[in-house]
Amino acid sequence: MKRITYIIAALFACTSCSDSFLDTAPKGTYHSGNYDMSTGQELLALATLMDGYNTFAQQSWPVTAMHCHAADNSHPGGPSGDGGVDFNQFPTMSFTAANGMFSSYYSLQFNAITKANEALKIIEEIETNSGKTTDTEQLKAEAYFIRATAYFRLTQAFGAVPYVDRVMGKEEEMADQLNATAIRNKYLPELIQAINHLPTRQEQISSGNTGRATQNAARAIIAKTYLYEKDYANCLVYTHQIIDSKDNDLTTPYAEMFWEKNEFGPESIWEINADFKPDQNVSIIGDGNQWCMMNGVRGFPNLGWGHNAPSDDLMDDYEANDPRFDATILENGQSIDGDVIVASDYKYFNKKTYCPKSERSLYGRADWCYGYWCNPRIIRYADILLMHAEAACETNDLDEAKDKLEMVRARARNGLSVLPKITTSDKDELREKIRHERRIELALEFERYFDLVRWGIAKDKIANFVVGKHELYPLPQTEIDKSNGKLKQNPNY
């Protein structure tokens, strides 16, 4: 997101300001036309939250390595060694605690946590002086969302990490390292409390403040947390709430869900806000959101670096004539948008990150912009339905599980006589069908590695996976060193 710290300076520099200095704010920012910010302190809290959100837009490199390249869905793409030594250790599981991807991922999550804690301190001061308002409650709820999301990612990747829920003094030593369950039990009540103080997706769109926490985004983090804790009953509570809210649905065609025109559409539970309009001097992504660059065509047209490409194993696992194959896989020699793809190295690409030529020609953009304007869809509605199906299956409600599984497959088949309805009454067989559907539906997105780990089958799917070690990534050696022995490394690193 476009940082608005400079706006604070402008606000403090004058006793009164006209509306004009914020009239042309890009999507995803509060401005005078859509939000009543009467004090500089409130604006400071908001700017701090924006910095917290922005950390999630900066994670393309470590996310590609840790969420994608370590899994069986993904081929690194590009020439051998491209991306550097640290980046290239993930397909072979040869990384160590010194790998820079871990330190980057770890520090970015804690940057988000720090910003959330700073914002909460400012909000507490506002409420002490002026009392609680609807606005301060929403800002506080957003801070809880940012902090919970960062801790979900940290516990998902590393397990036990330091837990910090306040602004610490410089003289204080590192916070205590808590296990994943203990940390999750810290943030879950806060995030549950936050739900009713957040807008719905549709309310957010109407206000012009897209890109931040919504009710269903908070519910999704809660549901995912319970899923990882294998608390399937509570997972179902929150997936049910998302489904029953009617704030999201599957009406967006699968092949179009990542297009710019469908940003913040009904498929989107939470997506990272980005924009790039050179001729309007609009950019709210700092140095650029690199997700499409990481995945884009390497060759002609020159759209990126070709990482996170589909593996042979993934491509072989699609059911016959599944339309999602063509919506996910882009192949050397294929014609698209009037161009013939010419791969410079590996012959396949992630089509979900392909930016249509019609988008590339808008707002003074050029092909070299590499899709900087594309919003990564971090949590989709189909993911929620498949989480619901999995939890229902594990709690022996097989009919409910099959119903939600069929919703996903019905959208995928798009009226064609393919992807037959799953009718099995065998729980073990249905579990495998749901797992297969998650692999295909969410292919080359962000879930596969951690799905395999939490299912306990990573050793069967990932070459060089070591049981008792690779269920968790190593804590960064730099953090171990700084802790003077207080931070304990994960087993076998």
Side-chain angles (χ1 to χ4, degrees), residues 320-321 413-420:
N321 301 312
R413 73 174 66 98
N414 196 27
L416 301 176
S417 298
V418 296
L419 302 176

Side-chain angles (χ1 to χ4, degrees), residues 364-386:
R365 297 166 179 164
D367 282 355
W368 63 264
C369 297
Y370 299 118
Y372 283 176
W373 58 89
C374 295
N375 291 2
R377 276 61 158 183
I378 304 300
I379 306 176
R380 298 198 283 110
Y381 186 57
D383 184 3
I384 300 302
L385 292 173
L386 292 173

